[in-house]
């Protein structure tokens, strides 16, 4: 399957998805680790892709997101940002609201 | 003075005409980490620009990444930033 189409489908199919270096249990970069900590504090379930295990995603995600670094968080199909923006939105309480809205919407569809 | 910081400064000044621009090279504190060993630096910047007016956080960061362009491939491993409009920045906003 076309890599770009595959990435777009991943983003569309998962209400919350984190593209990261390593896994939530073993993040392999401080910035990805910070993203995981923030999502954990929000108590939300999320999908993740370890870009070290998916080199084609690592190479091509930037063509979809126009964002050159990892981690990258997508909520309901939209790029929220990297760990700086996640922290900023978490501190202002906006991230919690955004995530609560996204996971509720996911439940309704089920 | 790191020439990479100067290069970053030039690109951001050209693209965003910032009223305030502070770039800190944090590479030393990440030495030994995989990304750092590949040669990419870690930087933190505070950028205050009127170009960010009316833009979301994602859009602002995308504007900065786009200004940095190909530096994001090799020279820069991580670029952490605060992208503020003049009215969001306490000192610049009062000028």
């Amino acid at each position: 399957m076309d890599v770009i189409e595959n990435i777009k489908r991943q983003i569309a199919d998962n209400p919350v998805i984190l593209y990261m270096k390593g896994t939530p249990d073993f993040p392999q970069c401080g910035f990805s680790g910070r993203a995981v900590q923030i999502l954990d504090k929000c108590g939300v379930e999320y999908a993740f892709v370890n870009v070290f295990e998916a080199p084609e995603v690592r190479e091509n995600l930037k063509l979809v997101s126009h964002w050159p670094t990892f981690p990258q968080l997508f909520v309901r199909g939209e790029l929220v940002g990297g760990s700086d923006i996640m922290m900023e939105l978490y501190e202002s309480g906006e991230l919690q609201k955004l995530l609560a809205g996204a996971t509720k919407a996911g439940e309704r569809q089920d | 003075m790191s020439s990479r910081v100067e290069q970053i400064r030039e690109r951001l000044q050209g693209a965003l005409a910032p009223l305030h621009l502070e770039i800190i090279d944090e590479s030393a504190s990440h030495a030994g980490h995989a990304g750092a060993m590949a040669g990419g630096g870690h930087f933190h910047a505070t950028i205050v620009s009127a170009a960010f007016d009316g833009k979301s956080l994602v859009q602002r960061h995308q504007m900065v990444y786009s200004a940095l362009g190909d530096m994001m491939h090799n020279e820069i491993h991580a670029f952490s930033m605060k992208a503020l409009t003049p009215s969001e920045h306490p000192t610049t906003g009062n000028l």
Side-chain angles (χ1 to χ4, degrees):
Chain A
M1 190 199 286
D2 181 45
V3 180
I4 301 279
E5 284 309 310
N6 198 9
I7 292 172
K8 284 183 179 167
R9 182 168 305 173
Q10 267 175 354
I11 293 170
D13 286 353
N14 293 286
V16 183
I17 182 164
L18 182 70
Y19 290 88
M20 64 178 293
K21 291 182 170 174
T23 65
D25 286 337
F26 295 101
Q28 291 182 49
C29 167
F31 299 96
S32 288
R34 193 159 68 135
V36 165
Q37 279 178 358
I38 294 168
L39 289 177
D40 285 349
K41 279 193 211 161
C42 293
V44 69
E45 280 193 28
Y46 57 93
F48 74 92
V49 174
N50 175 1
V51 297
F52 286 143
E53 304 268 306
E56 74 290 352
V57 174
R58 187 181 181 184
E59 261 326 291
N60 290 284
L61 180 59
K62 58 177 172 280
L63 301 177
V64 176
S65 62
H66 308 289
W67 195 271
T69 57
F70 295 97
Q72 296 184 30
L73 177 72
F74 290 79
V75 176
R76 291 170 98 167
E78 296 251 348
L79 175 65
V80 174
S83 64
D84 280 350
I85 292 183
M86 288 176 68
M87 184 53 87
E88 228 172 293
L89 295 178
Y90 175 73
E91 284 172 350
S92 70
E94 286 171 71
L95 186 65
Q96 294 86 322
K97 277 185 221 160
L98 186 68
L99 291 170
T103 42
K104 265 184 217 143
E107 278 162 21
R108 273 203 301 274
Q109 280 163 11
D110 295 339
Chain B
M1 179 59 74
S2 153
S3 66
R4 273 193 295 204
V5 168
E6 283 314 301
Q7 233 181 313
I8 292 170
R9 181 175 294 280
E10 264 173 42
R11 293 201 182 192
L12 296 182
Q13 263 162 354
L16 300 166
L19 300 170
H20 174 85
L21 177 59
E22 194 183 326
I23 304 162
I24 301 166
D25 188 340
E26 297 179 328
S27 305
S29 61
H30 296 272
H33 148 307
M37 286 192 286
H42 287 65
F43 301 90
H44 178 78
T46 303
I47 308 158
V48 181
S49 168
F52 296 141
D53 270 326
K55 307 280 188 197
S56 71
L57 285 174
V58 171
Q59 287 170 329
R60 294 176 192 188
H61 287 222
Q62 281 168 331
M63 288 161 77
V64 172
Y65 285 135
S66 139
L68 295 172
D70 59 5
M71 287 190 78
M72 293 305 302
H73 299 165
N74 298 313
E75 287 103 321
I76 302 174
H77 172 69
F79 196 86
S80 148
M81 66 184 109
K82 287 259 178 215
L84 305 167
T85 64
S87 62
E88 290 166 351
H89 189 248
T91 48
T92 313
N94 292 337
L95 287 179

